[in-house]
Amino acid sequence: MDDSLFRSSFIVSNVPHWPCPVCERGILRLKKEDFFSEYDASTEASKDDPQFDYEWVTYVFHGFLRCNLCLAKVAFSGSGNVEQDYDDSDRGWSYFDYYRPKFFHPSLMLIQVDNKVLVPGPVMDALQKACELFWADLDSCSNRIRTAVEYILDDLKIPRRQQRPKRRLNLHERINLLQEPNLADVKTILEAVKWIGNTGTHESGTLDRQQVIEGFRMLEHCLSTLYPKPAASVAGILAVARAVNDAKGSLTSGEIRRLRASAEGGELGK
């Protein structure tokens, strides 16, 4: 998982390499002509004050990001402010406009899912909603991550109800029903994600971004364990790895393409 995707703020000349949610291969880029920023209401009301200072400035913004491969557009919006930061000027610092996104459409997928074909639809839907909410509401985001855990347990055939006596099982009880030795690490991680989700649900405002990011990271690991890459992809990776070890060094791009194509039974990349 790329932590830089979760950065809370950016400057227009240095936008994170957010992945394209349409083609899922390209990187979203920002052109200055596609970005629009204005003072918010509080700054408009105070800008003529004799004591007005850069620290009083707050913005609202909106704009469009474009994929560098498929050229798809993604709308985004949020807020901003002015901050001092170090630079190469004579005085060693300057004022910069920093912007904090609150919304993307289509929403970004912030974690790597190795095999979307195998991951159940409800799990993917909960993850997508969690990624959408991450920018605006960490509590709601963590709750959606917790919901993804419920759906993962559904896929693992862990019941939601106890038969004798008949009652609904809570999430902690369901996780404890995971008894397979090969799922011990998954069980530990799902429990931790549950606690993060509980905090967001019952202790509003106490989660910070890093706690939620760790929840995403743990869930990403569970998904890669439970729903691994297709065998062909693994075969290609192993073929290249063995060749690198045999060569005791790097391979050319052509050699890598030929090895992967041979191992995965596909055509050579152009």
Side-chain angles (χ1 to χ4, degrees):
M1 192 174 80
D2 185 354
D3 284 16
S4 69
L5 302 180
F6 295 88
R7 275 167 43 191
S8 62
S9 63
F10 67 91
I11 58 176
V12 174
S13 61
N14 186 19
V15 174
H17 290 176
W18 289 311
C20 175
V22 179
C23 72
E24 300 181 346
R25 296 180 296 112
I27 300 298
L28 298 177
R29 305 296 191 195
L30 177 63
K31 296 182 178 180
K32 287 185 177 181
E33 59 266 29
D34 290 331
F35 188 82
F36 308 93
S37 171
E38 296 182 359
Y39 288 160
D40 68 4
S42 64
T43 303
E44 285 287 352
S46 61
K47 66 182 181 181
D48 295 326
D49 190 304
Q51 303 297 318
F52 186 79
D53 190 78
Y54 284 112
E55 295 179 357
W56 295 20
V57 174
T58 46
Y59 299 109
V60 289
F61 79 84
H62 70 278
F64 295 97
L65 299 156
R66 298 171 188 261
C67 176
N68 66 337
L69 293 183
C70 73
L71 304 182
K73 288 184 179 180
V74 173
F76 75 139
S77 60
S79 60
N81 67 302
V82 177
E83 297 180 13
Q84 287 185 17
D85 210 341
Y86 296 108
D87 65 4
D88 296 326
S89 65
D90 291 339
R91 60 183 177 181
W93 58 270
S94 294
Y95 288 104
F96 295 89
D97 293 330
Y98 281 90
Y99 297 97
R100 292 168 179 77
K102 299 292 185 183
F103 174 79
F104 291 86
H105 181 76
S107 59
L108 309 183
M109 178 55 76
L110 298 171
I111 68 174
Q112 180 67 41
V113 179
D114 291 334
N115 196 338
K116 291 183 179 179
V117 174
L118 290 182
V119 178
V123 175
M124 287 300 303
D125 291 344
L127 276 176
Q128 195 70 60
K129 194 65 179 178
C131 290
E132 178 183 334
L133 290 166
F134 173 78
W135 308 100
D137 189 337
L138 290 176
D139 291 331
S140 296
C141 172
S142 69
N143 182 265
R144 293 295 177 143
I145 294 174
R146 185 185 187 280
T147 299
V149 173
E150 293 272 16
Y151 288 131
I152 288 172
L153 293 174
D154 288 346
D155 191 55
L156 294 174
K157 310 302 181 187
I158 302 298
R160 286 180 178 253
R161 299 190 66 85
Q162 177 178 283
Q163 294 304 312
R164 294 183 182 178
K166 285 190 175 184
R167 67 179 182 87
R168 184 180 180 85
L169 297 172
N170 63 41
L171 182 54
H172 190 81
E173 290 171 324
R174 295 185 73 204
I175 292 172
N176 282 336
L177 292 177
L178 278 174
Q179 298 297 328
E180 294 87 341
N182 63 315
L183 294 180
D185 289 346
V186 169
K187 179 179 178 181
T188 298
I189 291 172
L190 292 181
E191 183 178 352
V193 175
K194 181 216 69 172
W195 287 119
I196 293 172
N198 284 0
T199 301
T201 301
H202 304 299
E203 301 175 34
S204 180
T206 60
L207 281 176
D208 61 32
R209 292 174 71 89
Q210 192 57 46
Q211 289 171 303
V212 177
I213 290 170
E214 288 307 310
F216 274 117
R217 193 191 315 279
M218 288 186 281
L219 200 54
E220 181 183 77
H221 176 75
C222 283
L223 293 178
S224 67
T225 300
L226 295 170
Y227 313 104
K229 289 182 179 180
S233 296
V234 175
I237 291 170
L238 287 174
V240 173
R242 292 185 183 113
V244 169
N245 290 338
D246 290 342
K248 295 182 172 57
S250 60
L251 307 176
T252 67
S253 58
E255 289 171 330
I256 291 173
R257 287 199 301 272
R258 284 191 291 273
L259 282 165
R260 288 186 65 85
S262 175
E264 297 174 6
E267 296 180 359
L268 291 178
K270 294 182 179 180

